[in-house]
Amino acid sequence: MNIAKVIVDVPASSINQTFDYKIPEQFQDILTVGMRVIVPFGPRKIMGFVVERTGESSFDKLKYISDVLDLTPVLTDELLGLGKWMANQTLSLYITAFQAMLPQVLKAQYKKELERVTEDPLSDELESLFAGRDFITYEELEGSTVSYSQIQKAVQDGDVVVNYLVKSKITKKHVTMIMPNREPHLLEEAIEDLSKNARKQKELLSFFIDNQQEIEQSVLIKKFNTTSSTIKTLLDKELLASTRKEIYRNPYDDKSFEQTTALTLTEQQQVTIVPIKEHIRDEKHDVFLIHGVTGSGKTEIYLQAIQDVIEKGQEAIVLVPEISLTPQMVKRFKGRFGSNVAVLHSALSNGEKYDEWRRIHRKEVQVVVGARSAIFAPFENLGIIIIDEEHENSYKQEDQPRYHARDVAIFRGENHRCPVILGSATPTLESFARAQKGVYKLATLSKRTNEKEMPKVNIVDMRNELHEGNRSMFSRSLKENIEQRIQRGEQIVLLLNRRGYSTFVMCRDCGHVNECPHCDIALTYHKNSRQLKCHYCSYEEPMPTSCPSCKSDLIRFFGTGTQRIEESLTQLIPEARIVRMDVDTTRRKGSHEKILNQFADKEADILLGTQMIAKGLDFENVTLVGVLTADSMLHLPDFRSSEKTFQLLTQVSGRAGRHDLPGEVIIQTYTPEHYSIELASNYNFMQFYKNEMSTRKTFQYPPYVFLALITVSHQNHVKVVQSAQQIAQLLLNNISNEGTVVLGPTPSPIARMKDRYRYQCMIKYKNEPNLRTLIRKIIRQFDDEVRKNDLLITVDMQPYQLM
Ligand SMILES: Nc1ncnc2c1ncn2[C@@H]1O[C@H](COP(=O)(O)OP(=O)(O)OP(=O)(O)O)[C@@H](O)[C@H]1O
Ligand SMILES: [Zn+2]
Ligand SMILES: [Zn+2]
């Protein structure tokens, strides 16, 4: 078994296979599958993952592995399998899939060092290697007689650790701990022997007579207002001892979370949790969809299910959308499970992320709460996987590997034979349809835990406002209500739904939106050519100068930012204290929390923001939620635009009246009759589901069909068009099923990005078992173009962003 099969770090489809290397003598005992190695590849040395050890190779003249980067595997067998599956599913490279599962620090270039972390004697060889030092470079090990397996054993025993030095910044933090080195009565004797002047020394020794535990040196110095040289004196006398201890950069102060205990579940919660607990107990996989209105206590169900998992000695992954990973959410998990929880999200520094990852890797925690990539947590004994707000788009990665965390969760749930829980007040059509068919198990929570009604929703027709001379972004009713709440000392959440704001064209008089006659999709305004285009079928028409429906000349695309809204709001209601939350105000680390704290402390009356504020927030004093423009998302060139609008309106409405004070919602819109707005205002998910499903059926969109999106881009327009046409033709010639449709090529909605022209082909299919193989084959034909001529082809087997 002296040959390793390695996936090397060369991101090219022609290299997407294992390469065989011989394992040098000194690595034979330590090298296992899932470790990273350095191997010669052509003239260079590059990184790779060992995916198999074997005794034979069909090649002769194998090269040797140059170095082994890990002493314990960074990818478990399960994750290696997952990586291969994911690469196949998403048509990405194995190396890309593997790297997506690891923290950034392990992908970067780094140097290594070995650190001695015990005072106990090591083996003679190790002692002479360290030669009295705490740190040695990895190169010294390589040049010594000490074998790798000796070091590996020392690492496993906890005597030595490997440190990765990223860009010369140490990735771990250490502190010196001081502890007594003698029995208390011997310390007493020592105090007697000290001279009168050694006051500090005496104080320190008496402290340790009462406290036998170790204490951080810096804390000790502060506590006794002493110096490290005083401590050193006692260390030299061997009355005290010291060790260096690694501490994790924990972004959260675990002790600051108030501990909570399980609440008595409501009847609906009880009915929901029973089968989940049974699955945990019986180690049985199934997917549960919890459809629960906002405030119905889904999170409490997660917490109590996790409790069972922890008691069984197993582990839990909880995914929450990035933007709702607010301190409020973290508090609920840390409050219940304390430091047994690791938190992973993008606002952490690379070092912090690495530390949290290592706490998982070393099984020092049983729960991870995190954004999308936390689904790859290297747990080996999973008891449950939970995806909160399962409808959120952020669970889909929009970069290779273009995976959806829901699919990964189900894959891992099957592997570990554990339940997967999807929760949402507004499930995706895909998930709800599966639940209707019995593929997922559906549970419904129709009531809030406090039995309070959902807040009443009033729809304001902005066309009327315009007709009556109000041209501002604020209806009279919204303005009056805001003023009234401010007077009462209550608070307001205002949502400016900004996404895709100026891409479609609308008549401000009648609300008319130009749509494609063949696709039931709003046309996209292309500024350069002043044309309206359908990006599904290439239909186009010139930008009209007057409304085709009512002849008004107030037809236009208009854009408004939160900053401008804030200004006009200040003019309109000068007494209002406003905090604004959008990408501009939350760029700095911690600013997100700061704004929310300000609002929670009632330093502001109004929280004005984009989509970011729609989810997860729970402020007891909020009694009014206003949506400035419910339509802005409705006409995006995306067949999911109605669904997204419904989801957003329902979520944001759920922020009002969550506690004692009753809540109210005002939705401003130019198209009050649109079913997604009307049904969201009645909280009528079922009717929305039915309407939307029938639209999807008529126009053949998911969940009735699957989609695949191929995008081609290049600086040269002609080249893009030609390549895209070739691809479309190859697809058409080779698809096996008559029902499969190839649309395009058409220009992408964003037709030119970073000086590159973009074209796309969309494939709609029900049953096309060889589609992935076919696409891979087609793309391989363009390998040369891609490598030499900078052609870019991306494939998304489950597109959510159609831009
Ligand atoms: N069994 C219970 N008894 C009393 N209060 C409960 C119970 N379960 C949950 N709660 C409380 O009800 C409130 C809403 O619960 P929770 O936040 O879990 O709902 P949710 O469905 O996750 O809401 P959202 O989707 O809006 O985030 C919380 O303040 C929670 O502490
Ligand atoms: Zn009109
Ligand atoms: Zn069209």
Side-chain angles (χ1 to χ4, degrees):
M1 302 289 267
N2 62 345
I3 291 164
K5 291 193 175 292
V6 177
I7 295 286
V8 294
D9 184 10
V10 179
S13 58
S14 51
I15 310 290
N16 192 32
Q17 60 181 67
T18 58
F19 288 85
D20 293 355
Y21 288 93
K22 275 197 277 197
I23 305 170
E25 184 66 36
Q26 73 266 32
F27 297 134
Q28 296 252 343
D29 295 339
I30 61 150
L31 190 71
T32 61
V33 165
M35 286 181 182
R36 295 166 308 149
V37 289
I38 297 288
V39 292
F41 195 83
R44 297 177 295 155
K45 288 202 170 178
I46 57 173
M47 196 274 284
F49 290 88
V50 176
V51 293
E52 201 185 322
R53 274 191 73 157
T54 167
E56 50 199 72
S57 169
S58 43
F59 302 93
D60 35 67
K61 287 213 179 153
L62 293 183
K63 292 183 188 159
Y64 277 102
I65 286 177
S66 329
D67 196 4
V68 175
L69 294 177
D70 303 304
L71 294 174
T72 46
V74 289
L75 290 175
T76 60
D77 279 353
E78 186 221 345
L79 289 179
L80 282 173
L82 170 61
K84 286 180 205 160
W85 171 82
M86 187 161 69
N88 289 332
Q89 283 297 305
T90 61
L91 296 185
S92 37
L93 306 174
Y94 295 119
I95 188 72
T96 318
F98 291 156
Q99 293 196 325
M101 300 193 279
L102 292 174
Q104 191 63 36
V105 167
L106 295 181
K107 293 170 219 165
Q109 288 297 322
Y110 54 82
K111 284 174 78 87
K112 276 180 302 184
E113 65 176 18
L114 293 173
E115 178 186 1
R116 175 189 192 142
V117 287
T118 178
E119 297 294 310
D120 296 339
L122 304 169
S123 70
D124 288 351
E125 278 158 304
L126 283 180
E127 282 294 351
S128 66
L129 177 64
F130 276 96
R133 295 165 300 174
D134 279 342
F135 296 90
I136 60 163
T137 65
Y138 210 77
E139 286 80 41
E140 280 186 78
L141 167 68
E142 284 161 356
S144 78
T145 57
V146 175
S147 75
Y148 285 90
S149 50
Q150 277 175 295
I151 283 290
Q152 189 180 41
K153 182 156 185 314
V155 170
Q156 278 157 4
D157 293 345
D159 295 337
V160 172
V161 295
V162 182
N163 293 334
Y164 299 103
L165 307 174
V166 179
K167 288 183 194 135
S168 78
K169 219 170 68 197
I170 294 176
T171 58
K172 294 181 188 177
K173 240 178 120 175
H174 291 85
V175 290
T176 304
M177 305 297 291
I178 305 293
M179 69 215 73
N181 196 30
R182 294 267 187 275
E183 301 279 302
H185 71 273
L186 294 174
L187 295 180
E188 304 242 20
E189 281 175 22
I191 291 180
E192 312 267 296
D193 295 346
L194 283 170
S195 77
K196 267 206 190 100
N197 302 336
R199 201 164 39 84
K200 287 285 172 200
Q201 290 188 41
K202 286 185 181 175
E203 278 179 31
L204 285 171
L205 289 180
S206 350
F207 170 78
F208 281 109
I209 291 170
D210 300 333
N211 298 282
Q212 295 286 303
Q213 286 124 355
E214 59 178 21
I215 176 169
E216 219 175 287
Q217 173 162 306
S218 59
V219 176
L220 198 64
I221 289 174
K222 234 194 216 146
K223 195 172 173 114
F224 291 94
N225 191 20
T226 179
T227 61
S228 52
S229 67
T230 311
I231 295 174
K232 176 133 195 315
T233 314
L234 294 171
L235 288 173
D236 290 344
K237 291 181 186 166
E238 295 189 356
L239 294 169
L240 299 182
S242 76
T243 56
R244 272 165 59 85
K245 185 168 162 183
E246 178 192 349
I247 54 162
Y248 294 111
R249 275 154 299 214
N250 187 341
Y252 302 97
D253 177 6
D254 288 341
K255 289 188 203 86
S256 71
F257 294 101
E258 213 175 294
Q259 289 300 298
T260 63
T261 49
L263 302 170
T264 312
L265 296 181
T266 64
E267 208 178 302
Q268 288 193 329
Q269 284 174 318
Q270 191 63 38
V271 171
T272 303
I273 205 171
V274 166
I276 297 174
K277 282 172 166 255
E278 282 169 7
H279 277 65
I280 294 169
R281 188 194 59 206
D282 301 341
E283 309 203 346
K284 184 162 175 247
H285 169 71
D286 256 316
V287 181
F288 291 85
L289 176 63
I290 305 182
H291 175 214
V293 298
T294 52
S296 59
K298 295 184 287 292
T299 313
E300 184 63 30
I301 295 176
Y302 307 154
L303 291 169
Q304 298 198 16
I306 294 170
Q307 185 67 45
D308 278 21
V309 168
I310 291 176
E311 280 164 16
K312 273 190 81 204
Q314 292 185 298
E315 296 132 358
I317 296 176
V318 185
L319 297 191
V320 297
E322 186 75 57
I323 50 175
S324 72
L325 248 183
T326 54
Q328 282 192 351
M329 197 68 180
V330 172
K331 191 170 134 194
R332 296 189 68 180
F333 285 87
K334 291 254 183 189
R336 193 65 58 89
F337 306 119
S339 49
N340 203 1
V341 181
V343 179
L344 283 172
H345 61 86
S346 66
L348 302 182
S349 70
N350 276 340
E352 286 169 340
K353 277 185 212 157
Y354 176 54
D355 283 0
E356 292 293 269
W357 182 84
R358 280 186 315 143
R359 299 209 301 145
I360 300 163
H361 192 227
R362 295 177 178 176
K363 313 289 170 345
E364 293 171 3
V365 291
Q366 285 174 283
V367 183
V368 57
V369 180
R372 180 180 62 231
S373 63
I375 196 62
F376 301 117
F379 283 136
E380 290 178 89
N381 192 10
L382 278 170
I384 196 167
I385 302 173
I386 294 164
I387 303 186
D388 190 29
E389 314 283 6
E390 71 95 24
H391 60 275
E392 269 291 309
N393 277 352
S394 62
Y395 289 129
K396 168 71 195 306
Q397 166 141 315
E398 292 300 344
D399 233 333
Q400 283 292 36
R402 294 186 166 77
Y403 68 91
H404 197 297
R406 194 199 299 128
D407 302 329
V408 177
I410 294 171
F411 184 87
R412 295 198 75 183
E414 283 168 358
N415 272 340
H416 288 266
R417 286 182 290 125
C418 74
V420 172
I421 316 295
L422 311 176
S424 176
T426 50
T428 53
L429 258 64
E430 283 89 338
S431 294
F432 203 78
R434 276 182 205 141
Q436 292 285 305
K437 275 174 139 181
V439 181
Y440 297 168
K441 299 196 176 308
L442 180 66
T444 309
L445 302 168
S446 57
K447 286 192 242 156
R448 285 187 157 180
T449 53
N450 57 8
E451 302 270 327
K452 287 256 157 60
E453 292 293 311
M454 298 304 289
K456 180 168 172 2
V457 181
N458 303 301
I459 297 179
V460 177
D461 186 341
M462 291 302 277
R463 294 170 305 189
N464 290 343
E465 295 291 311
L466 201 64
H467 290 156
E468 297 186 22
N470 176 12
R471 288 184 166 239
S472 90
M473 288 287 292
F474 299 89
S475 62
R476 290 157 299 173
S477 144
L478 182 58
K479 175 176 184 279
E480 280 158 25
N481 270 283
I482 293 175
E483 286 169 338
Q484 186 199 53
R485 305 298 145 127
I486 294 177
Q487 265 168 24
R488 284 200 235 143
E490 296 168 6
Q491 287 172 296
I492 301 124
V493 167
L494 282 185
L495 174 81
L496 175 70
N497 184 1
R498 232 180 94 183
R499 202 167 151 258
Y501 209 83
S502 56
T503 53
F504 72 97
V505 172
M506 183 172 69
C507 171
R508 285 195 69 182
D509 253 324
C510 75
H512 174 85
V513 170
N514 283 46
E515 291 189 345
C516 173
H518 310 292
C519 298
D520 190 36
I521 288 282
L523 293 171
T524 306
Y525 176 60
H526 285 243
K527 205 171 160 195
N528 293 341
S529 56
R530 288 191 59 81
Q531 291 282 99
L532 299 179
K533 292 185 185 174
C534 170
H535 82 279
Y536 285 159
C537 75
S538 323
Y539 171 85
E540 62 181 88
E541 62 185 39
M543 165 80 187
T545 48
S546 63
C547 172
S549 168
C550 77
K551 305 290 173 251
S552 157
D553 59 0
L554 278 178
I555 184 158
R556 58 183 52 128
F557 62 96
F558 48 98
T560 314
T562 37
Q563 198 169 353
R564 254 191 60 200
I565 298 277
E566 185 181 3
E567 285 160 16
S568 48
L569 191 57
T570 309
Q571 273 176 13
L572 198 66
I573 311 173
E575 71 271 25
R577 296 169 304 160
I578 307 164
V579 282
R580 180 160 63 91
M581 193 151 121
D582 55 25
V583 282
D584 296 328
T585 62
T586 53
R587 216 164 265 140
R588 299 225 343 248
K589 196 175 159 187
S591 49
H592 193 238
E593 297 177 44
K594 212 171 129 197
I595 294 170
L596 293 178
N597 285 339
Q598 251 176 310
F599 192 60
D601 295 343
K602 310 211 175 109
E603 287 167 27
D605 308 300
I606 301 176
L607 173 62
L608 166 69
T610 51
Q611 270 78 341
M612 263 180 220
I613 62 169
K615 326 212 147 58
L617 304 181
D618 189 354
F619 295 107
E620 54 183 344
N621 199 37
V622 171
T623 58
L624 177 67
V625 166
V627 179
L628 293 173
T629 41
D631 335 60
S632 59
M633 210 155 62
L634 209 46
H635 308 293
L636 280 178
D638 181 343
F639 67 90
R640 289 191 179 90
S641 62
S642 300
E643 187 183 8
K644 284 176 187 159
T645 302
F646 182 86
Q647 288 165 349
L648 183 69
L649 295 179
T650 309
Q651 290 294 339
V652 73
S653 300
R655 299 312 115 209
R658 289 172 72 89
H659 298 264
D660 292 339
L661 298 167
E664 200 178 335
V665 181
I666 294 178
I667 294 180
Q668 304 190 147
T669 171
Y670 291 92
T671 44
E673 65 285 351
H674 194 284
Y675 63 95
S676 66
I677 294 177
E678 199 189 313
L679 294 171
S681 76
N682 305 326
Y683 301 99
N684 195 342
F685 176 81
M686 274 317 288
Q687 192 57 47
F688 175 77
Y689 171 75
K690 284 181 195 144
N691 285 9
E692 188 64 15
M693 283 296 272
S694 87
T695 311
R696 300 278 177 97
K697 191 170 181 189
T698 310
F699 292 99
Q700 287 292 293
Y701 285 122
Y704 287 97
V705 296
F706 298 106
L707 296 181
L709 183 69
I710 303 182
T711 306
V712 186
S713 77
H714 193 268
Q715 289 91 333
N716 182 324
H717 191 226
V718 177
K719 190 174 204 71
V720 180
V721 176
Q722 279 174 351
S723 311
Q725 274 167 350
Q726 275 173 20
I727 290 174
Q729 200 55 50
L730 286 166
L731 284 166
L732 279 171
N733 294 348
N734 290 288
I735 46 175
S736 57
N737 199 305
E738 275 186 6
T740 303
V741 180
V742 179
L743 296 173
T746 67
S748 300
I750 305 172
R752 191 160 171 242
M753 204 192 265
K754 291 179 188 158
D755 292 324
R756 300 175 73 91
Y757 292 92
R758 306 167 78 231
Y759 270 71
Q760 63 186 32
C761 296
M762 171 98 79
I763 305 152
K764 287 183 176 178
Y765 65 101
K766 280 200 170 108
N767 180 20
E768 195 67 42
N770 295 321
L771 185 63
R772 285 180 169 81
T773 321
L774 173 61
I775 295 177
R776 249 195 219 283
K777 230 160 99 190
I778 292 175
I779 289 177
R780 298 273 322 236
Q781 298 190 18
F782 289 87
D783 262 0
D784 272 356
E785 291 275 12
V786 168
R787 236 192 4 256
K788 293 189 198 130
N789 294 328
D790 199 26
L791 187 75
L792 208 65
I793 304 175
T794 59
V795 183
D796 194 336
M797 294 307 291
Q798 207 180 342
Y800 281 81
Q801 259 183 24
L802 303 169
M803 314 299 259

